Amino acid sequence: MSTGTPATGGFGERLHGLRRRAGLSQEDLAHASGVSVRALSDLERGRARGPQRRTVEALAAALKLDAAGARELERAASLGRPRPRTRPAIQSTLRQAAEDTPGQTAGAGTQPASAGAAGLTGATNTGRITAPIAPNTLALPRDLRDFTARGPALARLLKLAEDLDPAHPPVAVICGQPGLGKTTFAVHAAHALAPHFPDGQFAVDLRGMDTTPTQPRDALARLLRALGTTEGTIPTGTEDRCGLLRSVLRDRRVLLLLDNAADEEQVRPLLPAQGPSLTLITSRHALGALEAAHRTELALLRREEAVELLTRIIGPERVQRESQAARDLADLCGNLPLAVRIAGQRLASRPGESIAKLVTQLGAHERRLDTLRAGSLQVRTAFDLSYRQLSPATRTVFRRASLAAGPDFSPETLALLADLSPRQAAGCAQDLTDAGLLQPHPTADRYRFHDLLALFAGEKVIEEDEPAQIAAARERTDKWTLRRATTAALLFDAEHRQHADDADPDPATAPADREEAHTWLEAERAQWLAALVRAQADGRHQEVVQAAEAMHWFSDRTLHWELWADVFRRSVDSARALGSKRDEAVHLNYLAWAYNVCLYDHDSALTTAEAALDVAREIDDRLQASWALNYAAEALHRLHRVEESITQLHEAADQLGRHNDVRSRLAELTTLNNLGRYLRQAGRAEEALTIHRRSEAMCSAGVPGKSPDLIGLYLASARQHIGNDLAALNRWTEAEAPLRFAVARFDTGRMPAWCESARLDLGRVLRRLDRHQEAWETLTAAHEALTELDHPRQVEAAAELAELREPGEHTEDTRPTRPARGR
């Protein structure tokens, strides 16, 4: 197409006319040229006035312009391009940001950036040439050539600039914990976004971490002077200065960087009300009350990004020579940009020093913050700036949080450690979150430290709290936590009757049922285990024994927790310290169970069970002797001493059968179930079925004084064994019903390890009944759940699934089965 008559007006009008004469919609032209619809719209409306040459060439080709027409279009575009031209590094950054955002096109509408002394041309978005602005006294700080990562965050800001609505000038808050590089990112973003704001980019340090932050009145005066307002015309009042700034910015494409803001009240007067401007605000606080703000909460670098930053600082050769050390260094820095930068600067200043040497130095926890310094850069200083801004109570919560055990902690723990009410502690925790000093859990009401902040808090608690205060905080927290753990665990003992000395330390917040108790015990397991350890160290042995005794019913539901061996080792030691032989026998049996079922250490289980048997016989406790025989038999069976294990179980069953007390009946049920299982696995399935039918009959008759819920679990175990006995006898149809009963009953009792094991047995039967789809679904569910539980039968489940495609002989039941334990 030839256009002999030049169009009038700016580039946008010219482009619009050419497109209309060509009979193209914006979508058609976008498709033909490769320029996005959004960019075309901005160009035609004059929001982007000077597209790059390659964009103009693409548009001219799509419009089928002749050489003269293409030259006229290029001339119109060149008039809208500010000078000086963009540095290649900035162009590259913009392209990369766009590439990191799916569907976003860089090109049309992307103007060259100024060289950093922005605001000298005085151009506005209307195309008018205004009086030159004075040299910028608030020019952007220098950008860093080694800036790394943050592509998606930068792309989001680029989109804000491209979609800018002058009626609602956007405000972007960049926040996060100390050391994330908020200012560095904001400066980098401001340089990258400069092409969109040819009327100037201005940076003001609001000194939010100082004792006296910059007053809005003073910041307004500085901005007005930088924007060309003469000193004599700047009003004296804050409101008048605010109004004048908004008037000055109404028609200017300006980027404001308000760095290091103290709070919302400081920045509100500095925000434009109208006009094509963008305001970036950095703050160590979340500024949650700032209305209609776009939020960019910077995260920690990924490990590979941290290594890339290190590479850019010290060079690829050193990193390639010690690649693993570089990764270890990133981990020790917690992938915190400031820490990685300091480590990199330190290495850069010592070219002969190996990365591995610095890794070794950082490996010493007590010296890590001392090591993370390079000249005036210090991680500790960055943290201390935020710490000094806190109220006294919030400082106490921050320090004392370092005394909590485990990777995260609850507001209740914080309240106990700081000796505050739960409401006060929750408020302080929120303040710490807003300041970036604590990280909130995404779903639960819990908090955690960044690793380096945990070290800093640990330093502060030693510096500012007396040893007696620290000891009192721990003791107060431990006693409360151990009592809560004991009462929560007792909810899993179906026969427990609440006594006054079993009362929860705070009945108003106590778990109401087993589900809540399980959730609390799991979330707080590091905390109550630490409390148990310190209680034993402090000689509070009765508390240790009571807590472990309560836990033994709950432990049946969490077979995959290896910590049970530690719990019961400590309760055995405390029982011995108390001189209680009966408690020693009981807890030795619990420990033997943990070795067998949780750690699969069957040699230790056998030794421990034999020790329990010796103590039980010494005090003539036949019940504990029978339990010891059960646990010894379990270990012997796992050690392939099958006949010995069967002999021990026969002995235990005979002893228990001669007693009529309730506890002996429960122990007899367990013994019979185990005996039948070993007989089946020894190829004696008919004998096994007889034994398990006997157990089923005892359960059906009931045990006087025991609840139907408890006996229902024993019945479910017996029927699971009956189903497996029938399967071993190839009576597959008969096997289905008892196994379905077991799955349903264990599921109702919230015993996942038992339920999924029975589900696996059911799936195996369904496969042998040629109900392949149902078998596949059942086995898949069992495999997924057993894998999540890290249960040893997950391997068997995988094999069964494989055999649905490759039929073969079934794998014998080798799981560590035992119903709820009794004493």
Side-chain angles (χ1 to χ4, degrees):
M1 170 182 174
S2 173
T3 58
T5 304
T8 61
F11 179 85
E13 293 180 37
R14 180 179 292 272
L15 177 63
H16 177 76
L18 290 170
R19 178 176 62 77
R20 293 292 298 272
R21 282 197 291 275
L24 299 175
S25 67
Q26 285 186 344
E27 290 78 8
D28 294 335
L29 182 55
H31 179 74
S33 66
V35 177
S36 70
V37 173
R38 183 175 62 224
L40 285 173
S41 177
D42 285 348
L43 288 168
E44 291 189 0
R45 288 184 293 165
R47 291 174 62 183
R49 293 169 294 126
Q52 295 177 0
R53 183 182 295 274
R54 64 177 179 275
T55 302
V56 178
E57 291 172 351
L59 291 170
L63 291 165
K64 297 183 171 57
L65 302 183
D66 59 17
R71 283 196 299 272
E72 286 297 328
L73 189 63
E74 168 56 25
R75 186 185 67 81
S78 68
L79 293 175
R81 294 177 189 143
R83 297 294 188 270
R85 296 185 65 81
T86 306
R87 297 192 308 274
I90 301 299
Q91 293 175 328
S92 175
T93 301
L94 285 169
R95 286 196 300 272
Q96 183 60 49
E99 289 167 4
D100 288 340
T101 304
Q104 183 166 302
T105 302
T110 302
Q111 304 169 13
S114 70
L120 298 182
T121 63
T124 71
N125 68 316
T126 63
R128 293 180 287 108
I129 304 300
T130 65
I133 298 175
N136 188 358
T137 57
L138 297 178
L140 298 176
R142 73 184 184 96
D143 195 8
L144 297 181
R145 294 187 61 179
D146 56 22
F147 185 88
T148 304
R150 309 301 192 198
L154 182 60
R156 287 192 292 271
L157 293 182
L158 179 61
K159 188 174 187 300
L160 270 185
E162 290 179 339
D163 296 341
L164 191 150
D165 178 6
H168 303 93
V171 174
V173 176
I174 300 162
C175 55
Q177 74 176 64
L180 283 174
K182 296 179 289 295
T183 296
T184 302
F185 169 74
V187 169
H188 183 72
H191 280 284
L193 296 172
H196 295 271
F197 302 99
D199 295 338
Q201 306 91 43
F202 303 87
V204 181
D205 184 356
L206 298 177
R207 309 187 73 82
M209 292 292 105
D210 288 6
T211 305
T212 305
T214 301
Q215 294 300 305
R217 179 179 179 276
D218 298 331
L220 285 164
R222 295 184 66 194
L223 281 168
L224 286 168
R225 283 193 293 268
L227 284 160
T229 306
T230 60
E231 191 69 39
T233 60
I234 296 177
T236 57
T238 300
E239 288 189 15
D240 290 338
R241 290 180 177 184
C242 174
L244 180 57
L245 177 67
R246 289 173 177 170
S247 176
V248 169
L249 293 178
R250 185 176 295 121
D251 296 321
R252 296 185 182 177
R253 294 189 72 90
V254 165
L255 185 145
L256 300 182
L257 170 54
L258 306 179
D259 188 32
N260 196 12
D263 53 36
E264 296 89 343
E265 296 306 314
Q266 185 189 35
V267 298
R268 279 197 183 99
L270 311 179
L271 303 180
Q274 289 182 315
S277 61
L278 170 64
T279 304
L280 306 180
I281 303 173
T282 73
S283 179
R284 294 196 179 196
H285 302 283
L287 303 186
L290 196 62
E291 304 86 350
H294 301 268
R295 301 197 174 275
T296 299
E297 186 165 355
L298 297 183
L300 295 169
L301 297 175
R302 299 193 303 272
R303 186 203 234 188
E304 59 269 25
E305 292 173 335
V307 172
E308 175 61 23
L309 175 56
L310 183 66
T311 301
R312 294 188 181 188
I313 296 171
I314 67 173
E317 297 80 8
R318 292 177 74 180
V319 171
Q320 289 169 4
R321 282 198 305 269
E322 298 182 83
S323 56
Q324 184 56 53
R327 290 190 288 271
D328 294 341
L329 180 62
D331 292 343
L332 288 168
C333 290
N335 297 322
L336 187 70
L338 175 60
V340 176
R341 178 166 295 283
I342 289 173
Q345 295 298 137
R346 177 177 170 136
L347 288 167
S349 67
R350 305 174 186 184
E353 186 173 290
S354 70
I355 301 174
K357 177 182 177 181
L358 183 55
V359 167
T360 300
Q361 293 171 338
L362 290 174
H365 286 268
E366 67 279 1
R367 294 178 50 205
R368 188 171 303 172
L369 295 182
D370 291 325
T371 305
L372 284 172
R373 60 183 300 173
S376 61
L377 286 177
Q378 292 189 57
V379 168
R380 184 186 283 109
T381 300
F383 294 165
D384 199 53
L385 283 171
S386 292
Y387 178 73
R388 292 203 308 266
Q389 301 293 315
L390 304 175
S391 69
T394 307
R395 289 186 197 179
T396 300
V397 170
F398 175 76
R399 295 193 308 271
R400 302 278 180 85
S402 67
L403 303 177
D408 54 30
F409 35 83
S410 66
E412 292 170 329
T413 298
L414 293 177
L416 291 162
L417 288 168
D419 200 15
L420 297 172
S421 71
R423 182 176 179 181
Q424 288 174 306
C428 292
Q430 185 59 55
D431 289 343
L432 290 167
T433 299
D434 290 343
L437 296 175
L438 281 185
Q439 300 171 2
H441 190 282
T443 57
D445 189 17
R446 301 183 69 79
Y447 301 89
R448 68 181 303 153
F449 278 122
H450 180 271
D451 291 348
L452 296 179
L453 276 166
L455 294 176
F456 177 73
E459 288 184 352
K460 286 297 178 185
V461 79
I462 293 173
E463 290 173 7
E464 300 185 21
D465 290 320
E466 297 293 333
Q469 292 176 306
I470 296 173
R474 279 186 166 141
E475 183 178 359
R476 179 173 57 247
T477 306
D478 286 350
K479 286 186 174 181
W480 189 98
T481 302
L482 204 55
R483 176 53 66 95
R484 165 62 60 87
T486 300
T487 56
L490 283 172
L491 291 175
F492 295 90
D493 181 354
E495 304 306 306
H496 178 72
R497 298 293 180 265
Q498 192 78 19
H499 302 292
D501 57 353
D502 292 334
D504 189 274
D506 183 8
T509 64
D513 52 33
R514 291 181 179 179
E515 184 172 356
E516 289 185 12
H518 190 289
T519 298
W520 188 91
L521 287 165
E522 182 155 18
E524 297 288 351
R525 66 171 129 169
Q527 194 64 39
W528 60 252
L529 181 60
L532 187 82
V533 170
R534 283 194 287 265
Q536 184 184 43
D538 293 342
R540 304 200 312 271
H541 297 296
Q542 192 61 47
E543 292 180 44
V544 174
V545 171
Q546 288 174 346
E549 176 63 29
M551 291 286 177
H552 104 272
W553 286 101
F554 173 62
S555 64
D556 268 319
R557 286 157 170 81
T558 49
L559 306 177
H560 55 294
W561 288 10
E562 295 183 1
L563 64 80
W564 294 125
D566 189 23
V567 168
F568 295 129
R569 274 194 295 264
R570 294 183 183 283
S571 62
V572 167
D573 291 342
S574 287
R576 286 169 176 163
L578 292 169
S580 172
K581 289 290 187 180
R582 181 177 179 282
D583 283 329
E584 182 182 354
V586 168
H587 288 268
L588 279 168
N589 275 328
Y590 295 163
L591 179 56
W593 168 84
Y595 279 133
N596 264 330
V597 175
C598 303
L599 298 184
Y600 316 118
D601 182 355
H602 307 300
D603 288 313
S604 295
L606 180 58
T607 301
T608 304
E610 289 172 343
L613 182 61
D614 290 341
V615 175
R617 285 173 172 168
E618 179 185 344
I619 60 174
D620 196 26
D621 189 328
R622 299 179 184 179
L623 177 62
Q624 291 307 316
S626 298
W627 279 116
L629 288 169
N630 263 281
Y631 298 132
E634 177 81 20
L636 287 166
H637 190 265
R638 296 293 169 182
L639 294 170
H640 307 293
R641 295 161 64 177
V642 177
E643 289 305 318
E644 292 177 73
S645 68
I646 291 174
T647 298
Q648 293 229 6
L649 288 175
H650 273 301
E651 181 184 349
D654 291 343
Q655 285 188 14
L656 292 166
R658 293 195 290 270
H659 298 276
N660 294 321
D661 61 286
V662 171
R663 289 183 173 178
S664 294
R665 291 288 72 72
L666 297 181
E668 184 179 7
L669 286 173
T670 297
T671 302
L672 291 174
N673 285 338
N674 285 338
L675 174 57
R677 175 162 59 97
Y678 295 166
L679 287 168
R680 179 179 68 248
Q681 292 173 351
R684 297 153 66 179
E686 288 287 1
E687 293 179 63
L689 183 59
T690 300
I691 292 290
H692 289 136
R693 291 291 190 194
R694 176 181 163 190
S695 178
E696 180 186 39
M698 290 173 60
C699 292
S700 298
V703 177
K706 293 300 177 183
S707 71
D709 285 345
L710 178 63
I711 301 306
L713 294 176
Y714 283 92
L715 178 60
S717 183
R719 287 188 175 168
Q720 181 181 3
H721 286 302
I722 287 170
N724 286 327
D725 296 338
L726 292 167
L729 294 168
N730 295 321
R731 294 160 62 178
W732 302 103
T733 302
E734 296 174 69
E736 180 181 355
L739 288 172
R740 287 196 181 278
F741 177 90
V743 170
R745 186 63 189 81
F746 286 138
D747 188 38
T748 301
R750 284 203 67 204
M751 302 182 72
W754 303 93
C755 176
E756 301 308 327
S757 185
R759 195 186 311 277
L760 168 57
D761 295 334
L762 174 62
R764 184 181 62 193
V765 168
L766 293 171
R767 182 172 71 83
R768 294 306 179 101
L769 291 173
D770 293 327
R771 287 151 62 181
H772 294 295
Q773 182 60 37
E774 190 177 359
W776 177 264
E777 293 171 357
T778 302
L779 289 169
T780 298
H783 178 256
E784 290 174 353
L786 291 168
T787 299
E788 184 176 350
L789 292 167
D790 195 24
H791 194 287
R793 291 199 78 191
Q794 61 184 288
V795 176
E796 184 182 346
E800 289 289 340
L801 281 170
E803 289 180 10
L804 273 176
R805 295 183 293 270
E806 300 177 12
E809 293 300 319
H810 74 271
T811 304
E812 181 54 63
D813 176 9
T814 59
R815 62 187 170 81
T817 302
R818 187 179 57 80
R821 286 168 287 143
R823 285 183 21 167

